[in-house]
Amino acid sequence: MKLKCASLHRGVVVTGLLLLQSQWVGAFVPSTTIPLAVEKRDTSRIESSDGRKQTVDFPPPLSNLDRVKRAATFWSSTVPIVASYYGKYAEMKVKEEVLGQKMSEEDLQLIWDEQHQAGATKLANTISSLQGFYVKTAQIIASRQDLFPVQYTDALSGFTDNLDPMPASLARAVVEKELLHRDEKFEDVFSEFDEIPLGAASVAQVHRAVLTEKYGGPREVAIKIQRPSIESKLMGDIANLKALAKPLRGVEAMPLDYYTVFAELEAQLQDEFDFVAEAAAMDRIYTALSRTLDGSARTDIPLKIPRPVPGLISKRVLVMDFLKGVPLSRAREEMLKKGIDPDSPEAKIFGRNLLHALTEVFGRSILETGFFHADPHPGNIFVLDDGQIGLIDFGQVKQISGRSRETLAKVMIALDSRESDSNPEDLARIGNLALELGVEIKEDAQDEAAAAVAMWLFDGSVEVLPGEFLL
């Protein structure tokens, strides 16, 4: 039953991770705190593109009652998914152990594939209706094909770059409130503004625009606009998730320490709400990559990094260079539209160039300065019209110490130079470096455990981990 257990585990990991986001209806929201009065809305008067004045309502922070409703919707949708996995597992176990019906590995795989597909479709529909922090978790799942069933990563891949956009009138109102001086109109800053966004994510959406001569135009730019009240909504979600996950720390049945996961996501997500910090990170990474290691000379960067426009940056609005292209998540679709075979030699050459560019940029960022872009999912990597690669969204960045950079480099070298995946000396060296890097394992774990974790994290070519750990 080893294959069945592995398939059950991977499916429940997905839904278990998201089930913790249900906020457990009423468990952490006392009924006496639910407001009954209608909340006062923040409004703004703007001039529309046709010259008419209109009032725009800013969405209020999410109320406790709304949170309970969201929790109920998610809970009612995801509990049946988890239950169906355990039900299917019990059914197969009865057939095998009671009725003596043996199934081949191919038959078992087909059964689990159908199970994953049904669960993934229902989960994707639920997340589409709720949005919020659930989208961030969907993005994590979609980017980790090594951890989750392909049915889930495929079904949730659409959450990487094109979510429900806010109305153009609301987007303009946010820009006016954040950037414009008292005596300025929207048209004093932007001569053009595309009302249909280039992309919409959980925290913000991006519009193409053109700056006026007053602000250095005509210059094509992208405006990143934060959704009003989104910070309180997402951070409130995470606070409840942590409260729910904390009592479950150390429970044997839980596949992960979800409290640690959500605490890390909380720290990362907090950074995404400050666009001033994002602009600074964008400039810092660009500057480091555009110079040689000793800083004595300029050097070419193998991909495009947008530059922020000075004077047009606030905590909730960021104006930057416009990169014309499509996200990597839609590159295959775009190739087919243009009559390009995604499996053609030209496409394979592009794939190698993409890999080279990303390896150089992230390798230099991590190993040279330790300051790097920490959210490189397919919606943030762009294929530009001129064939170059672009990297956007520097809201999540990380800084690692010099000691960690050195140890990480040693891990890479040890993995590359090992004689085999079973050589005791190689496993001991790799394992010791993994422990030095911060990997923690149980006291009763097998000797190969630390090395197996290092291979799982840093070597995608490994098909069988030492110690027979499951991938």
Side-chain angles (χ1 to χ4, degrees):
M1 296 290 288
K2 194 170 185 179
L3 175 62
K4 301 177 194 176
C5 292
S7 298
L8 171 70
H9 176 76
R10 296 182 79 206
V12 172
V13 164
V14 177
T15 47
L17 179 59
L18 284 152
L19 267 171
L20 279 170
Q21 301 185 35
S22 65
Q23 302 167 27
W24 212 307
V25 183
F28 300 99
V29 184
S31 59
T32 55
T33 66
I34 297 176
L36 300 178
V38 176
E39 297 186 23
K40 184 178 178 181
R41 288 181 175 269
D42 186 11
T43 62
S44 178
R45 292 275 293 172
I46 68 167
E47 187 174 300
S48 62
S49 55
D50 59 5
R52 292 181 300 159
K53 290 285 186 180
Q54 64 179 116
T55 300
V56 177
D57 287 337
F58 284 79
L62 199 68
S63 70
N64 288 331
L65 179 58
D66 289 332
R67 288 180 182 176
V68 171
K69 289 178 179 178
R70 283 162 54 79
T73 300
F74 196 84
W75 193 257
S76 63
S77 299
T78 50
V79 164
I81 298 176
V82 174
S84 69
Y85 274 93
Y86 284 105
K88 181 62 68 175
Y89 178 70
E91 176 189 335
M92 293 163 64
K93 200 170 179 78
V94 167
K95 285 183 177 179
E96 181 176 8
E97 296 183 1
V98 178
L99 302 179
Q101 298 177 5
K102 299 289 184 180
M103 286 180 282
S104 67
E105 289 193 1
E106 290 76 13
D107 290 338
L108 290 171
Q109 191 62 55
L110 285 174
I111 290 172
W112 286 119
D113 284 347
E114 290 179 4
Q115 186 72 26
H116 292 329
Q117 189 60 59
T121 301
K122 188 166 187 179
L123 195 57
N125 291 337
T126 302
I127 294 172
S128 292
S129 66
L130 291 175
Q131 302 292 311
F133 184 63
Y134 303 114
V135 170
K136 298 300 294 183
T137 307
Q139 291 173 347
I140 294 170
I141 293 172
S143 66
R144 295 305 304 267
Q145 291 87 351
D146 56 328
L147 293 181
F148 303 111
V150 65
Q151 293 83 357
Y152 281 90
T153 58
D154 285 351
L156 302 179
S157 62
F159 292 99
T160 57
D161 65 272
N162 211 9
L163 303 180
D164 250 358
M166 57 181 163
S169 58
L170 180 56
R172 285 171 60 105
V174 174
V175 173
E176 290 190 3
K177 185 177 181 180
E178 290 287 323
L179 294 185
L180 270 57
H181 300 300
R182 281 181 173 272
D183 58 344
E184 280 185 326
K185 295 181 179 179
F186 192 87
E187 289 72 21
D188 294 333
V189 183
F190 304 103
S191 59
E192 293 181 27
F193 178 80
D194 290 355
E195 296 200 343
I196 299 176
L198 299 166
S202 53
V203 172
Q205 66 188 48
V206 179
H207 291 256
R208 174 199 163 273
V210 176
L211 294 176
T212 61
E213 291 185 7
K214 178 181 178 181
Y215 283 87
R219 176 183 173 185
E220 208 170 14
V221 293
I223 312 175
K224 184 175 182 179
I225 306 166
Q226 190 173 134
R227 296 175 185 266
S229 301
I230 194 64
E231 182 172 359
S232 63
K233 180 180 180 180
L234 297 190
M235 298 310 291
D237 281 352
I238 300 180
N240 283 337
L241 304 183
K242 288 174 63 183
L244 177 61
K246 194 170 185 178
L248 301 176
R249 302 189 79 179
V251 175
E252 288 288 336
M254 299 303 292
L256 294 172
D257 178 359
Y258 289 111
Y259 181 84
T260 300
V261 171
F262 290 128
E264 176 65 18
L265 289 175
E266 180 181 45
Q268 290 182 4
L269 191 58
Q270 185 67 61
D271 295 336
E272 289 198 48
F273 301 117
D274 188 350
F275 291 175
V276 175
E278 179 176 349
M282 197 183 303
D283 272 342
R284 181 177 172 184
I285 291 175
Y286 176 88
T287 300
L289 292 172
S290 63
R291 309 292 297 185
T292 55
L293 179 59
D294 60 6
S296 62
R298 294 191 63 82
T299 186
D300 292 333
I301 304 175
L303 51 70
K304 289 282 188 181
I305 295 176
R307 309 301 306 280
V309 178
L312 293 178
I313 304 166
S314 78
K315 185 176 180 181
R316 296 179 177 84
V317 175
L318 171 57
V319 181
M320 70 195 102
D321 291 335
F322 173 64
L323 302 186
K324 192 173 184 180
V326 297
L328 185 61
S329 55
R330 296 208 303 265
R332 184 180 182 88
E333 174 188 336
E334 202 65 23
M335 283 183 179
L336 293 173
K337 282 183 182 177
K338 295 179 179 179
I340 301 173
D341 180 2
D343 296 319
S344 66
E346 293 82 0
K348 291 179 179 178
I349 291 173
F350 169 78
R352 285 197 293 270
N353 291 338
L354 169 66
L355 182 60
H356 169 76
L358 294 176
T359 301
E360 180 173 342
V361 165
F362 282 91
R364 287 192 59 196
S365 295
I366 294 170
L367 298 176
E368 287 182 12
T369 66
F371 188 74
F372 58 96
H373 186 300
D375 191 24
H377 64 72
N380 287 338
I381 300 169
F382 263 56
V383 180
L384 306 184
D385 287 359
D386 61 4
Q388 295 190 77
I389 308 301
L391 185 62
I392 66 168
D393 194 352
F394 289 72
Q396 286 188 31
V397 289
K398 284 288 184 183
Q399 176 72 65
I400 58 174
S401 68
R403 175 71 177 270
S404 295
R405 299 201 301 272
E406 181 182 350
T407 303
L408 183 59
K410 289 178 179 178
V411 170
M412 299 295 121
I413 293 171
L415 287 170
D416 184 61
S417 61
R418 68 186 187 272
E419 290 183 6
S420 71
D421 291 347
S422 58
N423 183 290
E425 292 183 4
D426 287 332
L427 294 180
R429 182 170 61 256
I430 294 169
N432 288 334
L433 288 169
L435 294 174
E436 185 180 334
L437 198 58
V439 171
E440 295 182 7
I441 58 175
K442 293 182 178 181
E443 291 184 3
D444 59 349
Q446 296 173 227
D447 293 340
E448 303 92 343
V453 171
M455 292 182 188
W456 174 67
L457 287 172
F458 302 119
D459 190 348
S461 67
V462 175
E463 295 183 357
V464 179
L465 293 172
E468 297 185 354
F469 289 98
L470 293 174
L471 279 167

